[in-house]
Amino acid sequence: MCQYRLTGTATTLYQSTGRSSGNRSRYQKNERNLGYSVAQLSSKDVSDVPQPNVLNSLAARVPGVNIRSTGADPGSSVMVTIRGQSSISKDNQPLYVVDGVPVAPAIQNPAQAVDGKQTIDYGSPISDISADDIASITVLKGASAAALYGSRAGSGVILITTKSGAAKKGLGVSFNSSAVFDKAWMFPHFQHEYGSGDWTGSDNTISTGAWGPKLNTGRKLVQWNSPLDENGDPLPLDWVAYPDRVKDFFRTGHTFTNNIAVSKSTDAGNFRLSYGNLQNRGIVPNTDLKRDNLTFSGTYHLNKSIHLSTNLAYTNNRSANRPSAYTESVTMQVYKLTPNVDIHALRNYWIPGKEGLQQYNPYSTDDNPYLIAYEETNSYTRNRMTGNVQASFDIRPDLTLMLRTGLDYYALNEDQRRPFSAKRNPKGAYVLENDNFKEQNSDFLLTYKPDLKSDFKVSVAVGGNRMDQESSSNQQSTGSLTLPGIYNLSNAAAGALVNTQSFRKKRINSLYGIGEVSYHNYLFLNLTARNDWSSTLPKQNNSYFYPSVSLSAILSDMLNIRWQDLSYLKLRANWSQVGADTDPYQLYNTVPFDTDWGSVKRATISFNQKNSLLKPEIATSYEAGADASFFQDRVGFNITWYKTNNRNQIIQVPTTIASGASTMLINAGNIQNSGWEIGLNLVPVKSQSFTWKSDINFTRNVNKVIELTPAVTSYMLGSTDGSNIEYLIKEGTKMGDFYTRSWVKVKEGPYAGQALLNSNGLQQQDVDFVKIGNYNPDFMVGFNNNFRYKNLSCNFLIDWREGGAYYSYVAKSLIQDGRTTNTLRGRDAAHGGLTWTDANGTTRDDGMIMEGVIANGDGTYKPNDVIIDAATYYDNKYWKYYENETYSATYVKLKEVSLTYAFGRGVMQRIPFLSNLSLSLIGNNLYTWAAAKNGYDPEITMSLSNQRYQGVGHWTLPGTRSYGAKLSCNF
């Protein structure tokens, strides 16, 4: 369970290295000394219910931390936001530090397929870490952590400490094995009453829409798969519904995870060697994920004064096929099947006799979902090496020196294939891409802790760091192949081969200092200061300094409080600043070469004006809080208030095209985040045989755009869904607001606020954009409970997010095509339809009246009485007006469940070579309650592109629930 500082115990936070295994020279901070909020998860928190991406284990456990997965697939990326979004242009992700060394960013841009419509998420590099290798995760939420970890820590730090061999003396072997099964279960509410057809009312059963005749009436109609008679004419088939057509496509996925580790500890040192293997089969046919982890950690005491240590990890992460998202994904094609289509009839996805050339599909405008699954593959391999080598020297009993260098390197190879007859690539396509990333951090830390022989204690540390970061990308692609099924760049059609390369390099040099003064071990003053020199800023502005100061007081000790019911009371306060640089190559415009014009090189001019006078961003943070514990630690709480202002941000703003550019890079903006974090720890029942522990955490963050710049009072962050959903920030509003064009409304009089329809009874689009929602929750609550009865324990975690909104492109598309149950009203008289006569003189009963009024022409209005067909009604109301597909994002999830039996001494005596044997039944997302009640998972409403647009639901995989078992033991 997540541990907070409620008892005053000597839990230690290792800020500079993350590991203590026998090394006394590292800079350490006791939690009671800290003047800012931290939270720590144990190994059990992240491994009891294993997650392929360990970041998902943080969800609902740590106040102030917002976890969002980009999809239901186990390999999907995970976004982590700590204390709200403070940056306009950056991704607001925390810095990840593994065993004291920063590693690659957790979020990478997803790959764009050659068709430009599919998006492939190859996962977060941080997911390469196995949960079985993690000893603890510490979350530093304030900007104070930036003194040790630099400007990249301005959005918080997640410290991951891996396991060492120092746990116990001698040789030991541990083994963990789990099997988890995934089942898709959250689907839109599809209708099964009406089949293919168009709005005209004719029996056009080949239409992609679902506005056709009623199903299951005994009729026979010509359909997409009708056989031909001897004259070549199609024969009618039974007009019936296939209500399981969507869920039958998705299979039961599984994830098998195994880990074995050997460790040994002696007086001279210790080591741990671990191997882990993950095998995943996705819920989409022909998708998978595989991972091999090999890790080694070791510490050797050369003598009493010199200590050597290393941490090394190699990961091979690969997949033969990753599911695509966004438009043209397999989810889109399955969801858009009309109710009269039997999904099983599509399994043989080639037309007989035209294998590899022409697909078999109900609609000429779409792809067969099995063709996407088996032929439109997105494979990848990521080989990654991380590690560090460290030496520490006890120069004197009160003076130590640490020297270290750490490396994070990975090579990602991507392979995308598109067959002949694919709708976006009728002649096939092929993409090869190689991405490389390397970051090296070398640092030193000199720590002085004199023994003053008084009530005062002092410790001082000075350190330095050099960070070198390089990344490169090389892509070769063709949108047309000469021969089908041969995926080789030499098979590219003439003139169709495109080469793209990129390279980025960055360096930051840093010096920092840390000081602490304590009095009687109950009053602590901490000071930090750091100066960075960044290669991405101009020479005159590339040096920036940022300090912090914090004060903590253990009042229960200071005032000698000895109340029977009070165990511990601490007050803390902190002020800090942190600077930040920008991405490489933002100072000067260059003239790149674009696609050749025949044999002539063609240069292009960028319309984004860069800025050689950029200054560093500055964030200022305030924090105050209290920790307390009562009734012998049976009741405890921690409460934190914070406020952060991020000024001088580096953003692109519009400018007049007369300047030669459409946008320019400037320093501007002041984004404020403030809020409350509350943690409550309870032990309602505690006896020799039964214990009930409960952790409750509450988070509320309030975001506000204080100012942009005098010349710009609003700023467009981006758009999605054909520029119909705009992410706009304005002074006085909040980050996360999204806008769209609404319909024209009556402005005054008795009909004020009602839709002003045209003479045809249809809504009219307004010119101005209006806010339709904000994707950030109003507050979040995590509720973790653990029940233990003798050797049996049960744990469950509830995740409650209240408020926020999301827009669903999927809902809009399905409603427009008549595929969901909310389009049944008005289909016929039995469903409330009105009788009307169409242009052909046919009497129909599928009429509807749009809500609103019509102008009389004299300044007055009358209620609309124009009858239109149901298909036109839904098309006008939902397809064209996006706020009708905006829903509440409130949900409550049973996030994790585990039931564990630890075998007792009686069993262990019969198996003398085993110890700590336990068997668990585990589950993930077993139940979800969503306020919108529309079948969409509000947790994964995100549009994947070069930017991740939160609050937009696209064609991602359906929500899943997982269940399985785990076995653990030691040898």
Side-chain angles (χ1 to χ4, degrees):
M1 302 175 75
C2 185
Q3 301 298 313
Y4 303 102
R5 296 138 313 288
L6 304 180
T7 64
T9 57
T11 303
T12 305
L13 174 67
Y14 298 93
Q15 288 187 301
S16 71
T17 66
R19 181 187 296 278
S20 64
S21 52
N23 192 330
R24 296 173 295 163
S25 64
R26 303 174 181 186
Y27 187 77
Q28 303 175 359
K29 298 288 285 185
N30 191 299
E31 283 191 85
R32 66 185 275 134
N33 303 16
L34 298 177
Y36 51 87
S37 174
V38 301
Q40 190 171 61
L41 302 180
S42 68
S43 175
K44 285 178 59 63
D45 292 320
V46 298
S47 62
D48 275 5
V49 182
Q51 303 273 4
N53 190 326
V54 72
L55 295 182
N56 283 315
S57 299
L58 274 65
R61 294 186 185 275
V62 181
V65 179
N66 189 1
I67 307 291
R68 298 197 65 147
S69 179
T70 61
D73 184 81
S76 297
S77 296
V78 175
M79 292 188 67
V80 180
T81 307
I82 300 177
R83 291 184 174 176
Q85 295 174 276
S86 59
S87 177
I88 296 174
S89 59
K90 297 180 180 179
D91 60 14
N92 295 282
Q93 296 300 288
L95 175 69
Y96 292 87
V97 178
V98 179
D99 294 326
V101 179
V103 296
I107 290 291
Q108 303 289 316
N109 285 335
Q112 299 297 314
V114 69
D115 56 22
K117 291 294 183 180
Q118 293 186 15
T119 302
I120 304 98
D121 181 11
Y122 289 116
S124 309
I126 198 69
S127 67
D128 293 341
I129 300 175
S130 170
D132 290 311
D133 290 327
I134 293 177
S136 66
I137 297 179
T138 303
V139 181
L140 308 182
K141 293 177 279 189
S144 299
L148 276 168
Y149 298 111
S151 57
R152 292 184 297 169
S155 295
V157 181
I158 294 182
L159 301 173
I160 298 177
T161 304
T162 61
K163 294 178 179 178
S164 73
K168 71 175 187 175
K169 295 290 185 180
L171 182 67
V173 179
S174 63
F175 176 72
N176 294 286
S177 180
S178 64
V180 177
F181 299 89
D182 305 316
K183 188 72 174 177
W185 73 285
M186 289 191 72
F187 297 105
H189 300 156
F190 294 104
Q191 62 91 4
H192 314 299
E193 295 189 39
Y194 298 86
S196 299
D198 56 35
W199 64 271
T200 63
S202 63
D203 293 343
N204 180 14
T205 60
I206 310 299
S207 170
T208 60
W211 299 106
K214 199 172 182 68
L215 293 159
N216 302 322
T217 61
R219 297 181 67 185
K220 289 181 178 290
L221 294 172
V222 172
Q223 300 180 51
W224 66 277
N225 58 341
S226 288
L228 303 179
D229 61 17
E230 61 274 10
N231 298 319
D233 297 323
L235 296 173
L237 299 174
D238 290 333
W239 188 244
V240 295
Y242 296 91
D244 296 329
R245 64 191 180 279
V246 174
K247 72 175 185 178
D248 281 356
F249 174 82
F250 296 99
R251 63 186 182 181
T252 299
H254 63 240
T255 303
F256 299 147
T257 307
N258 294 282
N259 180 273
I260 187 167
V262 179
S263 61
K264 186 174 183 179
S265 177
T266 66
D267 292 337
N270 60 78
F271 78 89
R272 181 178 185 270
L273 180 64
S274 169
Y275 170 72
N277 175 264
L278 180 146
Q279 301 279 337
N280 167 261
R281 184 181 84 155
I283 62 172
V284 174
N286 197 42
T287 59
D288 68 346
L289 178 67
K290 297 178 181 179
R291 186 176 71 208
D292 291 293
N293 295 84
L294 185 64
T295 63
F296 174 81
S297 66
T299 299
Y300 180 66
H301 307 299
L302 195 61
N303 53 44
K304 292 183 178 181
S305 301
I306 302 176
H307 314 278
L308 306 176
S309 64
T310 186
N311 298 279
L312 303 173
Y314 167 75
T315 304
N316 177 260
N317 203 320
R318 60 200 182 277
S319 173
N321 186 25
R322 293 283 297 141
S324 60
Y326 203 59
T327 308
E328 309 298 332
S329 70
V330 67
T331 308
M332 173 183 173
Q333 304 302 342
V334 174
Y335 281 10
K336 292 186 72 173
L337 294 175
T338 49
N340 58 290
V341 175
D342 181 7
I343 190 70
H344 301 288
L346 299 177
R347 290 184 180 274
N348 296 321
Y349 49 84
W350 293 119
I351 293 178
K354 295 185 178 181
E355 290 82 359
L357 290 174
Q358 185 60 50
Q359 64 171 298
Y360 178 59
N361 200 34
Y363 321 119
S364 60
T365 56
D366 295 315
D367 282 321
N368 184 312
Y370 287 101
L371 180 89
I372 297 177
Y374 287 96
E375 301 293 337
E376 299 189 12
T377 59
N378 311 292
S379 65
Y380 83 99
T381 299
R382 181 169 62 236
N383 288 293
R384 187 178 189 190
M385 280 288 302
T386 60
N388 65 76
V389 177
Q390 177 174 303
S392 58
F393 307 89
D394 295 338
I395 301 172
R396 295 182 355 185
D398 57 1
L399 184 65
T400 61
L401 173 66
M402 183 272 291
L403 302 175
R404 177 181 56 199
T405 186
L407 178 69
D408 182 12
Y409 171 81
Y410 70 78
L412 173 64
N413 299 316
E414 303 169 11
D415 183 302
Q416 300 175 23
R417 304 182 178 194
R418 300 295 179 265
F420 271 46
S421 79
K423 298 309 174 186
R424 294 284 175 179
N425 304 101
K427 290 295 183 181
Y430 185 48
V431 178
L432 279 179
E433 182 169 344
N434 307 109
D435 298 327
N436 292 275
F437 175 88
K438 183 179 76 170
E439 178 174 321
Q440 184 167 4
N441 283 272
S442 300
D443 56 326
F444 74 90
L445 185 67
L446 183 65
T447 304
Y448 179 54
K449 293 184 177 181
D451 186 1
L452 300 181
K453 306 295 184 183
S454 71
D455 295 333
F456 286 94
K457 291 185 179 180
V458 176
S459 66
V460 180
V462 293
N465 176 271
R466 166 172 282 189
M467 188 278 288
D468 286 293
Q469 190 180 92
E470 294 182 6
S471 61
S472 62
S473 176
N474 184 10
Q475 184 189 87
Q476 294 178 294
S477 65
T478 177
S480 180
L481 299 174
T482 303
L483 298 174
I486 299 178
Y487 295 102
N488 192 298
L489 293 174
S490 62
N491 190 37
L497 189 61
V498 178
N499 294 289
T500 305
Q501 284 185 300
S502 67
F503 178 79
R504 292 157 64 99
K505 191 173 183 179
K506 180 178 180 178
R507 171 177 289 175
I508 298 178
N509 294 322
S510 307
L511 291 173
Y512 58 89
I514 309 164
E516 177 183 289
V517 179
S518 66
Y519 178 69
H520 274 298
N521 200 34
Y522 56 59
L523 187 63
F524 307 92
L525 175 66
N526 285 273
L527 303 170
T528 72
R530 184 176 181 119
N531 201 94
D532 288 351
W533 291 264
S534 172
S535 66
T536 66
L537 293 171
K539 197 170 193 178
Q540 66 273 25
N541 296 326
N542 71 349
S543 172
Y544 46 100
F545 172 82
Y546 41 98
S548 78
V549 56
S550 66
L551 182 67
S552 61
I554 314 300
L555 293 186
S556 52
D557 292 350
M558 180 185 299
L559 304 180
N560 199 25
I561 299 175
R562 291 295 178 264
W563 301 342
Q564 183 177 0
D565 297 335
L566 177 66
S567 308
Y568 179 71
L569 178 61
K570 171 185 174 181
L571 298 181
R572 48 187 164 78
N574 170 257
W575 172 89
S576 59
Q577 278 192 338
V578 56
D581 57 2
T582 185
D583 294 330
Y585 318 126
Q586 300 299 309
L587 304 182
Y588 303 99
N589 283 81
T590 58
V591 182
F593 287 98
D594 205 340
T595 307
D596 293 347
W597 185 29
S599 60
V600 178
K601 287 289 182 184
R602 182 171 61 176
T604 58
I605 298 176
S606 173
F607 287 95
N608 299 320
Q609 181 63 47
K610 298 182 180 181
N611 188 345
S612 61
L613 301 176
L614 287 177
K615 299 177 181 178
E617 300 181 0
I618 296 294
T620 304
S621 178
Y622 302 86
E623 179 181 323
D627 303 331
S629 180
F630 304 89
F631 309 112
Q632 296 180 334
D633 301 333
R634 294 282 297 274
V635 177
F637 75 84
N638 63 86
I639 183 170
T640 301
W641 170 87
Y642 64 88
K643 185 177 79 169
T644 301
N645 288 83
N646 196 352
R647 295 180 173 86
N648 220 26
Q649 300 198 35
I650 300 173
I651 59 175
Q652 290 274 3
V653 297
T655 187
T656 173
I657 196 66
S659 66
S662 57
T663 64
M664 63 183 300
L665 200 63
I666 65 170
N667 289 103
N670 179 3
I671 307 298
Q672 178 178 288
N673 284 279
S674 61
W676 292 89
E677 299 165 356
I678 302 173
L680 180 63
N681 303 90
L682 303 172
V683 186
V685 180
K686 186 177 183 180
S687 67
Q688 187 173 0
S689 59
F690 180 75
T691 303
W692 171 21
K693 296 181 179 180
S694 181
D695 287 348
I696 305 171
N697 64 77
F698 170 87
T699 300
R700 174 166 170 77
N701 181 77
V702 178
N703 177 280
K704 187 175 182 180
V705 181
I706 303 298
E707 65 177 353
L708 291 175
T709 178
V712 179
T713 57
S714 64
Y715 178 73
M716 187 72 70
L717 286 177
S719 62
T720 187
D721 193 9
S723 298
N724 291 302
I725 297 294
E726 302 283 359
Y727 293 86
L728 185 69
I729 60 173
K730 301 178 181 179
E731 292 181 356
T733 63
K734 300 178 181 180
M735 296 277 287
D737 290 344
F738 52 97
Y739 296 73
T740 189
R741 288 187 177 92
S742 184
W743 52 83
V744 177
K745 301 177 178 68
V746 178
K747 299 187 182 303
E748 56 187 19
Y751 296 106
Q754 294 196 34
L756 178 58
L757 311 180
N758 61 24
S759 59
N760 293 326
L762 301 178
Q763 293 177 339
Q764 307 174 79
Q765 193 174 69
D766 208 345
V767 175
D768 297 329
F769 279 79
V770 297
K771 175 186 170 182
I772 59 173
N774 184 292
Y775 54 72
N776 292 303
D778 296 330
F779 64 82
M780 301 181 294
V781 175
F783 187 36
N784 195 15
N785 283 271
N786 179 269
F787 302 90
R788 183 187 59 80
Y789 176 71
K790 295 184 178 179
N791 292 347
L792 186 67
S793 63
C794 176
N795 195 88
F796 68 86
L797 175 66
I798 294 175
D799 181 11
W800 171 22
R801 302 193 196 192
E802 178 66 32
Y806 70 94
Y807 154 76
S808 176
Y809 177 83
V810 180
K812 182 191 77 166
S813 300
L814 296 180
I815 291 173
Q816 193 239 359
D817 289 340
R819 303 179 195 278
T820 47
T821 54
N822 54 357
T823 66
L824 291 177
R825 186 172 69 91
R827 295 274 188 144
D828 53 33
H831 290 89
L834 303 174
T835 301
W836 65 293
T837 303
D838 65 18
N840 298 320
T842 303
T843 300
R844 297 165 55 176
D845 61 354
D846 62 342
M848 297 277 284
I849 295 178
M850 186 71 69
E851 300 83 356
V853 298
I854 296 177
N856 291 320
D858 58 359
T860 62
Y861 305 93
K862 65 175 182 179
N864 177 39
D865 59 0
V866 178
I867 299 176
I868 57 178
D869 65 273
T872 301
Y873 172 89
Y874 291 107
D875 177 78
N876 182 254
K877 185 173 182 178
Y878 291 95
W879 179 257
K880 296 180 181 178
Y881 298 100
Y882 296 77
E883 60 185 293
N884 287 321
E885 292 87 35
T886 302
Y887 305 98
S888 168
T890 297
Y891 70 84
V892 179
K893 285 193 175 188
L894 183 56
K895 200 71 176 177
E896 292 183 5
V897 176
S898 65
L899 181 65
T900 302
Y901 182 78
F903 290 88
R905 185 176 301 173
V907 175
M908 293 293 95
Q909 287 176 346
R910 301 173 191 172
I911 318 174
F913 58 89
L914 285 183
S915 63
N916 298 327
L917 177 64
S918 66
L919 179 64
S920 303
L921 300 179
I922 56 180
N924 286 306
N925 297 323
L926 295 184
Y927 175 77
T928 298
W929 176 87
K933 295 183 174 64
N934 54 11
Y936 305 103
D937 188 349
E939 185 180 7
I940 54 176
T941 50
M942 189 177 302
S943 176
L944 285 176
S945 60
N946 287 332
Q947 299 184 55
R948 287 160 181 80
Y949 295 119
Q950 297 185 57
V952 175
H954 253 286
W955 302 102
T956 53
L957 297 179
T960 60
R961 54 163 61 108
S962 306
Y963 48 90
K966 180 183 178 182
L967 177 70
S968 299
C969 65
N970 293 335
F971 294 91

